[in-house]
Amino acid sequence: MLLTSVIIILREVLEAALLLSILLAMSHFLHLRLRWFYAALAAGVAGSVVYGVQLAAISDAFDGVGQELLNAALQIAIYLLLLVIASLLVVNYYTANYYAGERHRGILSAAMTAAVAMAVLREGSEIFIYLSAFRYSPQPWSGVLAGSLLGAGIGFSVGALFYYLLVGLPRRRALLVTCVLLTLVAGGMVLQATQLLIQADWLPAQVPLWDSSALVAEGSLAGQMMYALVGYEATPTSLQVILYTASVAAMALLLLLTRYHQKKIRTARDVSQAR
């Protein structure tokens, strides 16, 4: 149970930890107060406990696929919030001096709060449900608890390392790296939502396009990292690949259009001030 617990908890913690590290690094560059972070953690933890306690009712909803549909809805909502967050980051960059814009920061903080709260709720509920399953199990808690703590420790350590790598970047490159990472994470959210909707029979099941298990196993540390960052699936279907590509392309196009528009506004303002 030790190794199983490590893998399961690591998988859940790593995804939320990577998203947290990216948004915290963004908050660092924008000099935002961390009130949004504490509020998001509190809301996410409380929501995950409520989710776990009400699991039976949630699972029975929508003809027995309520859990899959709720999780898919959370993933899609996070994707939409990441569109808003990344766009506002670009807007802030071009509003005034580097990362010194004041406009839209309230919306940005609210969007980050909602995204992190949903991510913590999603992953925290899975951990709550997993640990609750052993409440009446005859198996000793020691292996489960040790594995869970080890998995959580590895996940948070990777997230902390990721955060310090991001804040160590020069500011002129941080925007590009952050937007690329957010785009990959957002695409992973859509990929996971697609998988959940297939499990719920709301989308058609298909034959996998390829099987890369031999190259990168989903259960390996590399596989868990790729799952957390880009929603890695070793055996994706054509529908998953199409929706993932479309979601990444849509976010990239939105960011490019936002950048072009904000750059045009700043150029016009500079010309006006020079006259």
Side-chain angles (χ1 to χ4, degrees), residues 113-156:
T113 303
V116 170
M118 287 183 187
V120 173
L121 189 159
R122 168 84 174 87
E123 309 307 333
S125 63
E126 295 291 335
I127 294 173
F128 182 87
I129 293 167
Y130 174 72
L131 295 178
S132 298
F134 292 93
R135 184 169 46 181
Y136 303 111
S137 172
Q139 298 186 42
W141 257 93
S142 57
V144 175
L145 189 59
S148 299
L149 291 175
L150 186 58
I154 296 172
F156 284 122

Side-chain angles (χ1 to χ4, degrees), residues 3 30 33 57 63 66-67 82 87 103 123 127 138 143 149 162 189 196 198 205 222 228 234 243 247 255-256 262:
L3 183 59
L30 292 170
R33 294 182 179 179
D63 296 326
Q67 186 179 4
L82 291 181
S87 299
R103 296 177 59 189
E123 309 307 333
I127 294 173
L149 291 175
F162 212 66
M189 294 294 171
L196 288 166
I198 291 174
L243 291 180
S247 63
L255 292 177
L256 287 173
Q262 292 301 318

